[in-house]
Amino acid sequence: MLQNRAVFEAKTALQAKDDQRIWFLFRGEELLVRDQEGQRATPWVGPLPASFETRDELALGVLDGKPAFACIVSDDAIAPEGTRFSPLRPLHALLDASAFDAASLGAQLVYFARHYRFCARCAHPLEAVADSRVRRCTSCAHEWYPRVSPCAIVLIHHDDRLLMTRQARYPAGMYGLVAGFVEPNESVEACAAREALEECGARVRDVRYFGSQPWPFPHQLMVGFIAEYDGGELIVDRGELEDARWFSRDALPTLPPPVSIARKMIDAWSRGDFER
Ligand SMILES: [Zn+2]
């Protein structure tokens, strides 16, 4: 498990042995991994490849007893033999859980370093602050924190049916759950109810917390709820969705991948976890 509170420990360890470090090396949004027998993948361990130009070395914490870091490599970096650059999402099935967790943190911090380069108050450059996630303005000293965007995702059920939605960008045949970004001054529960109404015309009741999940694409926090349908004609918001419809338990469409909280909620519902 990644102990990501151990930033200081990891910083100290950076002074230590080169061959003990674990590196999450991002070229754009792709991560360098070494394939292990085609079924598993691991991050880079040891001294950085000599050909790589790197910047923004960020301490992630301690992973499996070793200090773990993320950094940005130049866009023209070529993966050393036996390794490759991969988008993060498919790596969920290949990295072990703690490594994926560290990669997910690394992806969000690297995104922050790449996209928050100048102060939004005074337009001067930002710089990293030692032993912190903060980036500080070199002129006005304002401190900017990595952005996290909360989203509500809600499983809406009624009798033996599930209300599911489909966005145009989904793989063919896949349906997910109602979801959307929390607005300023809105509770996550209120967001879940609002999105149900806006996306599908559905009123909901008994909105109950299920769990939450960081979602590093690029920096969401998905907060999951279970809700009962409480009326309302199904009206699909075609601006946001390609389709929305009810599916019965024994005829579900293609589901979101196991990495997602949507899938965890659907699986729990399929098992009957939310029946009264
Ligand atoms: Zn400033």
Side-chain angles (χ1 to χ4, degrees):
M1 186 177 175
L2 177 72
Q3 298 164 294
N4 72 12
R5 287 279 164 208
V7 177
F8 306 105
E9 214 177 309
K11 283 272 184 187
T12 309
L14 185 55
Q15 319 301 330
K17 289 180 187 165
D18 225 18
D19 59 357
Q20 289 292 306
R21 298 179 202 164
I22 301 176
W23 286 100
F24 292 85
L25 301 167
F26 288 89
R27 185 184 69 185
E29 291 174 4
E30 293 188 322
L31 176 66
L32 186 76
V33 290
R34 184 179 296 282
D35 282 311
Q36 309 281 358
E37 297 154 8
Q39 302 298 312
R40 306 299 301 166
T42 51
W44 184 267
V45 180
L48 291 171
S51 63
F52 277 18
E53 273 182 49
T54 62
R55 64 180 176 89
D56 293 299
E57 295 177 1
L58 303 155
L60 299 180
V62 175
L63 179 63
D64 302 332
K66 293 179 180 167
F69 301 87
C71 78
I72 298 172
V73 302
S74 55
D75 289 345
D76 57 1
I78 295 168
E81 195 177 342
T83 69
R84 65 190 168 95
F85 285 101
S86 165
L88 189 56
R89 208 177 290 230
L91 292 177
H92 177 258
L94 299 176
L95 292 168
D96 68 36
S98 57
F100 186 80
D101 188 32
S104 169
L105 172 62
Q108 295 191 58
L109 296 182
V110 159
Y111 181 93
F112 180 52
R114 282 172 56 216
H115 291 261
Y116 284 68
R117 296 172 55 209
F118 298 95
C119 180
R121 271 172 47 165
C122 75
H124 285 86
L126 303 181
E127 61 183 1
V129 176
D131 298 338
S132 169
R133 306 290 192 217
V134 160
R135 291 175 70 77
R136 184 183 293 144
C137 178
T138 51
S139 177
C140 76
H142 188 82
E143 293 187 337
W144 299 91
Y145 287 81
R147 183 171 160 194
V148 177
S149 302
C151 296
I153 180 163
V154 55
L155 179 145
I156 302 164
H157 64 119
H158 184 58
D159 294 334
D160 208 31
R161 295 186 308 158
L162 201 56
L163 181 55
M164 301 186 75
T165 61
R166 177 176 163 75
Q167 296 181 19
R169 63 182 171 81
Y170 287 176
M174 193 190 100
Y175 280 71
L177 301 176
V178 165
F181 287 98
V182 175
E183 295 191 343
N185 201 44
E186 185 177 51
S187 72
V188 198
E189 293 87 341
C191 173
R194 176 181 53 76
E195 290 289 346
L197 195 60
E198 287 179 0
E199 288 192 353
C200 308
R203 293 190 303 274
V204 293
R205 61 183 162 86
D206 295 341
V207 179
R208 285 176 289 155
Y209 179 71
F210 173 83
S212 68
Q213 176 188 49
W215 190 244
F217 308 107
H219 45 58
Q220 285 92 288
L221 174 67
M222 307 303 295
V223 184
F225 295 94
I226 310 300
E228 295 227 18
Y229 171 72
D230 191 34
E233 185 188 346
L234 182 62
I235 301 168
V236 181
D237 176 0
R238 299 285 174 187
E240 288 209 30
L241 300 178
E242 188 178 87
D243 192 24
R245 61 179 68 184
W246 289 95
F247 290 93
S248 63
R249 199 186 300 261
D250 54 5
L252 293 175
T254 303
L255 301 178
V259 59
S260 63
I261 192 169
R263 176 62 172 273
K264 293 180 179 78
M265 289 197 287
I266 295 166
D267 287 348
W269 176 79
S270 295
R271 290 193 302 266
D273 285 7
F274 311 130
E275 282 165 19
R276 285 158 176 267

